[in-house]
Structure formats: structure tokens, C-alpha cells
Amino acid sequence: MSRIYDRGPPLGYEDFRLIRDLISDFCGISFGDDACYLVERRLRERLSALSITDFTEYYRYLRYEVDARAELERAVDILTTNETYFFREDYQLRAFEKELLPSIHEQCSRESNRRLALWSAGCSTGEEVYTLAMIVADSELFEGWDVRIFGNDISRRVLNVARQARYGPGSFRAMPKRFDRWLIEEADGKRSVHPRIRSMCHFGHLNLMDVNRAAIVGQVHAIFCRNVLIYFDSDSRKKVIESFYERLVRGGCLLLGHSESLLNFSTSFELLHLSSDLVYRKPSHSRSDDPLHNGKNAQYKRVETTSGGRTK
């Protein structure tokens, strides 16, 4: 049975393929054939906003108009889902708090480097960035250090929300009570992030496929990229992973979402078994100086891998 289009023009398969491939080349996000109706439904508003009659004309707009790049960003923003909240995937954050942060502190202290840099790649509305800052502040390991936590996203809309640092009750549904001290109650029922936490956090617009621009983040000790790469095609995923590797300091870690892995990707990462999670790690200079391999951190099981595999 055919669909009835009462709100705009239909998206034919050829136009869908062209628009889909253009978006994939632009930002790495991949849409399967079954996403045609989703793309059609969500992008109709852009045709109306631009006074465009059909998707063939919209594709030409995305390719050849002066503001084509800006329109691509708008299309990606509309097509992507930005679901997040404070302390999401708590098992991973426990491993970060109890195991990775102390080892980073020990390594930096040995090198007389009182600097901590973390990166939330694909930060959406910012809850993950502020979560990391709360964990760092609560640890009291980095008092007096230069602490910078970067959050980047391709959507300017969600970055505006992140910079405002004000959230409704739904954003705090998984937040432990002990971190409430880093929040300020607002008259409208929302809560804002404490200025001390906000001072650690820096937000910027970034397309992860733009690996040259990603260099502005600098060298970081850990990268959180959770539930982002699952939307990328294989080639784009490999390109972004290689960029992450370059951005990490020696011994730095990449933390992915629970359903993501580097399986079937040739990487130079090592796989680390923590108490409640598996993370990928850029090899350190020397095992003898590695706090994740010796002494009080001997509970870490270090697993070499050339395939980047993640096992359960």
C-alpha cells in the first residue's frame, strides 16, 4: 500500500542515496536503506524553510549553494539523536573514578606535570562533560592543577544548551546524591551547574571527520566517545579512531559505549581489563614506569591486541 504524503514531497530512493552519501562524506554518519522514510520525515521542514519544492532541488542546494556547509550542519542536527544525562553508564564512570584517575595522577606527578586534560567527543548537551568535571573535583587529586575538560559536538544547537549549564529533572535521573553539592537549585525547577565545575569545562563546535581541526583539543589523558561511532560507516570510524590515537598522550585511554568496540579495526591500542569495564589504551613509553602495570595497580590485566578487539 502506498503512503499518503499530505505534508510535503516524497523522498525517492535515488535522492535519498545522494543525500545520504553527501552526509556520510561530510560527517561520517551512515544511514541504511531502511532510513529513507526517517530522513524524508525529518528533512521536510528544511524544504519548507528554504522554499524548496522537492528533494532533488534540496540535494542541489546541499551541493552547490553558498551556505551548503551550514545547511549540511542543520540537516545532520535534525537527523541525529542527542540523548544523554548525568552519570550515564555508571559502571564505566566508576572505573574511571577509582582506577584511571588515580593512575593518571600518579603518572603526571612522576613527570612533574600538573595538568589534566579530558575530551568528550560528541558531547551532546553537555551532561557528560560536567559529569567528568564533578568526578575530578570530588576526587580531590587535582587541586591546584590545570584541569581542562573539552566537549565537542557537530550540533551548534546542543552546544548552546551545554554552555547554559541548566538542566531539568530528567538529566539527573542517574546522578548519585553525593554529587548534588555541585548543583544549584533554580526557581523554575531546573538545576544549574556550580561555577567551579563550569570553570573546568570548555565547549566547541567540531566535526570529528575534520581531523586537522581536532588538533585544537591538544593532547589529552582520556577520551570519552560513547555511543557515537555506532552511527559511522567503517571508513569514517577508522579515520576518527586514528585521530583519537594521535590526540591521546602515551598511556591515555579511549572509553567507548557498552555496545561499541574496535573489533575488525587495525589499531595500535591495547585493551585494558578494569574492574567494571574494558577500555582501549595508547601504549606508554615503558612498562617499568607504568602505574597500570605495576605496584598498587597490579589488578589491571594488560592485554595486547593488534585487531583492537573488545571481548566480554
Side-chain angles (χ1 to χ4, degrees):
M1 184 174 66
S2 62
R3 288 191 307 233
I4 298 174
Y5 300 95
D6 56 353
R7 296 176 58 188
L11 173 60
Y13 179 74
E14 184 59 23
D15 287 331
F16 166 69
R17 184 185 63 80
L18 291 170
I19 293 172
R20 174 188 67 183
D21 292 350
L22 194 61
I23 289 173
S24 179
D25 290 342
F26 173 62
C27 66
I29 295 175
S30 178
F31 293 97
D33 291 347
D34 59 349
C36 182
Y37 180 58
L38 179 146
V39 172
E40 173 193 302
R41 179 169 50 83
R42 293 190 179 182
L43 289 185
R44 277 181 184 166
E45 65 180 77
R46 294 308 306 157
L47 273 66
S48 177
L50 297 169
S51 299
I52 288 175
T53 58
D54 56 38
F55 281 98
T56 300
E57 188 180 352
Y58 186 62
Y59 170 72
R60 294 194 188 104
Y61 192 102
L62 293 173
R63 282 293 306 272
Y64 304 117
E65 286 296 324
V66 174
D67 66 338
R69 185 180 180 88
E71 181 59 29
L72 269 171
E73 289 182 5
R74 294 187 193 100
V76 170
D77 193 0
I78 292 169
L79 291 171
T80 51
T81 302
N82 298 290
E83 165 66 16
T84 189
Y85 47 88
F86 283 85
F87 289 85
R88 187 178 187 181
E89 299 187 5
D90 63 319
Y91 66 92
Q92 188 175 73
L93 295 172
R94 286 196 302 271
F96 172 71
E97 178 183 14
K98 302 300 183 183
E99 299 172 86
L100 290 185
L101 270 185
S103 70
I104 292 171
H105 178 267
E106 182 178 342
Q107 185 69 31
C108 290
S109 297
R110 182 184 295 120
E111 298 170 356
S112 299
N113 176 20
R114 293 170 60 84
R115 171 185 173 273
L116 173 68
L118 308 174
W119 181 17
S120 171
C123 70
S124 188
T125 45
E127 288 95 327
E128 179 173 271
V129 179
Y130 294 126
T131 292
L132 298 178
M134 290 177 185
I135 291 172
V136 170
D138 223 51
S139 74
E140 299 184 344
L141 292 172
F142 301 93
E143 298 296 322
W145 288 42
D146 178 15
V147 177
R148 300 189 183 188
I149 305 171
F150 302 98
N152 298 103
D153 204 279
I154 196 170
S155 169
R156 299 180 191 275
R157 175 182 57 83
V158 298
L159 289 172
N160 287 335
V161 176
R163 292 187 180 105
Q164 292 172 18
R166 297 179 71 252
Y167 301 95
S171 291
F172 303 104
R173 59 186 181 270
M175 184 165 174
K177 281 289 185 182
R178 66 188 175 96
F179 291 98
D180 281 352
R181 66 192 181 106
W182 300 119
L183 299 172
I184 300 171
E185 299 289 341
E186 303 285 355
D188 60 359
K190 290 187 175 182
R191 291 195 281 181
S192 61
V193 179
H194 192 284
R196 181 183 171 190
I197 299 301
R198 294 182 67 174
S199 69
M200 303 180 194
C201 303
H202 309 269
F203 295 95
H205 177 258
L206 179 66
N207 181 347
L208 292 178
M209 291 292 288
D210 190 347
V211 295
N212 292 325
R213 181 166 170 75
I216 65 173
V217 175
Q219 296 296 110
V220 298
H221 297 92
I223 298 172
F224 284 74
C225 186
R226 305 191 294 177
N227 307 308
V228 174
L229 295 179
I230 55 175
Y231 299 106
F232 283 36
D233 61 66
S234 295
D235 290 341
S236 300
R237 193 177 300 141
K238 182 176 181 180
K239 182 177 181 180
V240 172
I241 290 167
E242 289 173 350
S243 174
F244 287 162
Y245 187 87
E246 292 301 315
R247 299 272 57 82
L248 284 168
V249 302
R250 288 284 180 178
C253 290
L254 170 62
L255 297 90
L256 302 177
H258 72 276
S259 62
E260 299 174 299
S261 79
L262 302 188
L263 187 63
N264 298 324
F265 290 91
S266 178
T267 76
S268 300
F269 283 97
E270 302 167 339
L271 185 63
L272 282 177
H273 289 242
L274 306 183
S275 60
S276 58
D277 193 27
L278 304 176
V279 302
Y280 296 99
R281 183 167 178 266
K282 184 173 181 176
S284 59
H285 291 290
S286 169
R287 287 195 178 193
S288 61
D289 295 327
D290 184 359
L292 294 179
H293 186 258
N294 299 291
K296 66 181 182 181
N297 291 305
Q299 70 271 21
Y300 286 84
K301 181 180 180 183
R302 185 167 179 159
V303 180
E304 303 282 351
T305 177
T306 56
S307 65
R310 182 170 182 151
T311 58
K312 290 291 185 182

